[in-house]
Amino acid sequence: MDVLLLVVAALAFAWAKKKDQSERIALLGSTLSRFDIEKLMEILTDGYLRALGEEDAERQAQVWSYLEVQEQTLSEQFAAFAAEFATLDASATRVSRLPIAILYAARWWPAAGFDAREAFAVHARGIAAVVENRAGLAPKRRAFTLSAELFLMQHTCHWYCRSKTVASARLLARHKTAYQQVLQSVSVGTRDAYLALTGQTVPG
C-alpha cells in the first residue's frame, strides 16, 4: 500500500508540474504572439552572418543599414512586450533560481526566486542601449553584443517556462553558445542588473 501511495503521489506531482509548465508556456506565448520578436531575431541572426561575410564594403554597408531598421523594430516591440508582461499578476511571473524545476518552489520560498517581469525589463533596457549604440561600438562588435543580449533574453524565456538547466541546454543546442559565454558577452549594464536580479555571481 505504501508503494502504491508513493506511485500515486509521484504521478500527481508530475501531472501538476506539467500543468504548471503548460500554463507558463501558454501565458508567455499568448503575450509574445502579438509581436514579431522571434521572426526579427532570425532576420538579425542571419543578417549579421551575411554582413560579416560580405567582402564588398558598399554592399556590406547596405546590409548594416537594413539591419539597423530591423534592430530598431525589435527593440520597440520587445519594450512593448515587457510593458505588457509587467501588467501580469506576480503569482504567475515568479521564477525559481534552482537549477531544476520544482513545483511552486518560487512561491513556497520567495527568496529562491525572481520576478520574470523585472528580468524582461532588464532585457528591454539592455537591447535598447545596444540598438542605440550608446557605447559607440563598431558594427561587428555591436552585432556581437546585441546577439548576446537576444540570446540571454531567450534564455530567460525558457527559464521561465521550464528551468535554468533546460534553458541553458536549449541555448547551447540552438545557438552553439554556452550560458556563461552569453553572460560574458552582453553589455556590462545588462550583466550587472541580470546577475543581481537572479542572485548569481559574475562568471569567471
Side-chain angles (χ1 to χ4, degrees):
M1 179 62 74
D2 290 342
V3 174
L4 179 60
L5 288 175
L6 286 174
V7 171
V8 171
L11 290 174
F13 184 84
W15 175 84
K17 177 182 174 182
K18 184 176 181 179
K19 180 174 181 293
D20 178 64
Q21 291 181 341
S22 296
E23 290 174 349
R24 286 171 174 267
I25 293 170
L27 181 61
L28 181 63
S30 65
T31 309
L32 282 172
S33 66
R34 291 187 276 279
F35 304 96
D36 296 318
I37 294 170
E38 186 172 359
K39 179 181 178 180
L40 289 164
M41 282 186 63
E42 292 178 1
I43 291 174
L44 291 176
T45 301
D46 293 340
Y48 291 150
L49 293 175
R50 181 182 175 188
L52 294 172
E54 183 61 61
E55 296 181 357
D56 183 79
E58 183 177 350
R59 181 57 183 164
Q60 186 181 63
Q62 292 176 352
V63 176
W64 285 126
S65 179
Y66 167 76
L67 293 176
E68 286 177 2
V69 177
Q70 311 309 311
E71 291 168 346
Q72 184 61 45
T73 301
L74 188 150
S75 179
E76 293 171 354
Q77 289 207 9
F78 192 79
F81 158 77
E84 185 170 336
F85 197 84
T87 65
L88 299 177
D89 189 88
S91 63
T93 61
R94 295 294 298 175
V95 183
S96 172
R97 292 192 180 108
L98 301 176
I100 60 174
I102 297 179
L103 186 62
Y104 304 138
R107 300 181 192 178
W108 297 333
W109 186 17
F114 64 93
D115 196 327
R117 296 175 301 180
E118 296 179 28
F120 289 136
V122 168
H123 294 311
R125 292 193 297 270
I127 291 169
V130 178
V131 169
E132 295 169 15
N133 202 15
R134 298 172 193 169
L137 303 175
K140 182 177 180 179
R141 183 65 191 182
R142 181 170 169 275
F144 178 79
T145 304
L146 184 56
S147 294
E149 295 276 348
L150 296 176
F151 292 169
L152 185 61
M153 174 271 289
Q154 195 172 57
H155 182 277
T156 298
C157 290
H158 291 148
W159 191 350
Y160 168 75
C161 292
R162 300 286 187 178
S163 69
K164 181 181 177 182
T165 299
V166 170
S168 298
R170 289 187 174 182
L171 176 64
L172 187 60
R174 184 168 184 176
H175 300 295
K176 311 303 180 188
T177 307
Y179 174 57
Q180 292 298 320
Q181 183 181 349
V182 169
L183 282 176
Q184 292 172 335
S185 302
V186 295
S187 65
V188 174
T190 295
R191 182 166 58 248
D192 289 349
Y194 181 85
L195 292 175
L197 175 65
T198 58
Q200 301 175 84
T201 57
V202 178

